[in-house]
Amino acid sequence: MALEKIMEVDKVELVGDYSIQVRTATKVMDDGKQIGSTSYHRHVVHPTSNWTNEDAKVKKIADALFDADCKEAYYVSQNGYPTGEPSDAKWTETQLQKYLSVNGVAWDEDDNKSALLTKAKNKYKD
């Protein structure tokens, strides 16, 4: 009797803009015949995930989909503002407000974008 445990990625699905859902099937084989039922495990790969140890087909999909622009868009969707130091060209007023709030910097409702940007840049001087 030769028991063997076989694990293989049997399903890869794209979910939304930023998720690759991976299903792994596990089977126990006895002399080439499956015994028992197949068990499944699912996990999700996002643009910020480390996919170096993923199955080859998952790596290819992640490499193709998760370029720098996608990673930045994912960061904005999760945090409400872009990566890096605030700038006039890249940031909206709403993003600056969110950034200041998250970083504990006070701002007023009547602050315009320029005032918010000044407060955000002053944070870096501290």
Side-chain angles (χ1 to χ4, degrees):
M1 174 172 6
L3 291 178
E4 180 183 16
K5 180 179 176 180
I6 298 174
M7 296 175 65
E8 65 182 354
V9 171
D10 71 331
K11 187 180 276 192
V12 179
E13 301 170 309
L14 302 179
V15 181
D17 292 330
Y18 309 114
S19 300
I20 301 170
Q21 184 171 270
V22 182
R23 184 175 84 173
T24 304
T26 303
K27 300 174 185 176
V28 177
M29 310 296 279
D30 183 8
D31 289 329
K33 292 185 182 186
Q34 183 173 341
I35 56 174
S37 61
T38 303
S39 64
Y40 298 99
H41 171 77
R42 290 182 185 268
H43 69 279
V44 178
V45 177
H46 294 288
T48 56
S49 301
N50 178 354
W51 58 82
T52 56
N53 293 324
E54 292 290 337
D55 180 78
K57 51 190 158 188
V58 175
K59 283 183 194 178
K60 285 181 183 178
I61 294 168
D63 288 340
L65 290 177
F66 298 152
D67 62 7
D69 290 339
C70 181
K71 289 178 182 181
E72 181 67 16
Y74 178 71
Y75 184 89
V76 171
S77 77
Q78 297 298 300
N79 297 288
Y81 53 87
T83 59
E85 191 172 331
S87 67
D88 190 38
K90 189 175 175 184
W91 293 56
T92 66
E93 190 170 314
T94 303
Q95 291 170 334
L96 287 165
Q97 291 169 343
K98 174 76 173 180
Y99 175 83
L100 292 172
S101 295
V102 167
N103 287 285
V105 178
W107 55 275
D108 297 315
E109 287 291 328
D110 20 331
D111 284 345
N112 61 20
K113 184 177 177 181
S114 178
L116 294 168
L117 187 58
T118 299
K119 289 178 181 185
K121 288 186 177 189
N122 286 340
K123 179 196 174 311
Y124 280 96
K125 292 179 184 177
D126 297 339

